[in-house]
Amino acid sequence: QVQLVESGGGLVQAGGSLRLSCAASGRTFTRHTMGWFRQAPGKEREFVAAISWRSSSATDYSNSVKGRFTISRDNAKNTVYLQMNSLKPEDTAVYYCAAVELREATPLSTDYDYWGQGTQVTVSS
């Protein structure tokens, strides 16, 4: 069982930056691919970024955030990060961290077994 706790959300002006963190419990963090998803009001949950358990250089991003967001992980701290730069009002959403064991980075929410509670990100124009 893996428990995930997100933090770092908040209110920021357009063009600003935020860094989200997701702390994972347990001793198997290194065996888990980690993903970030988001859900805006009235919309379906969508993929943001993922990082493979196998290599921190194996990442995937949605087209809407590529070049602005960076996902990374610190296995010593059991934590995955999402650095968000050049934020836009359309990035406003609840951001969720997710985990799946021994699977390559995947954009499909149904591939993930564990989810955090989410953290709100609001970007004002």
Side-chain angles (χ1 to χ4, degrees):
Q1 192 78 4
V2 175
Q3 292 185 326
L4 304 173
V5 178
E6 303 97 334
S7 62
L11 174 65
V12 64
Q13 288 189 331
S17 298
L18 280 176
R19 188 177 80 156
L20 305 183
S21 300
C22 173
S25 66
R27 293 176 287 182
T28 60
F29 181 74
T30 57
R31 295 163 56 89
H32 285 80
T33 281
M34 305 298 295
W36 285 98
F37 290 78
R38 66 187 182 186
Q39 187 166 18
K43 295 188 176 182
E44 293 188 354
R45 189 170 298 188
E46 67 171 355
F47 170 72
V48 176
I51 186 165
S52 173
W53 70 277
R54 192 187 302 274
S55 169
S56 291
S57 61
T59 57
D60 190 17
Y61 296 91
S62 70
N63 287 335
S64 62
V65 308
K66 198 172 295 183
R68 299 188 299 123
F69 292 9
T70 302
I71 189 171
S72 62
R73 65 190 298 159
D74 186 337
N75 289 338
K77 296 183 178 179
N78 280 15
T79 301
V80 63
Y81 304 98
L82 185 68
Q83 178 66 43
M84 306 186 295
N85 298 330
S86 302
L87 282 161
K88 305 174 181 180
E90 50 264 44
D91 294 317
T92 295
V94 177
Y95 283 71
Y96 298 91
C97 175
V100 59
E101 189 173 11
L102 297 178
R103 188 159 191 155
E104 296 308 316
T106 170
L108 300 178
S109 62
T110 51
D111 287 341
Y112 291 83
D113 297 316
Y114 305 102
W115 292 83
Q117 299 280 6
T119 185
Q120 176 70 46
V121 171
T122 303
V123 184
S124 63
S125 57

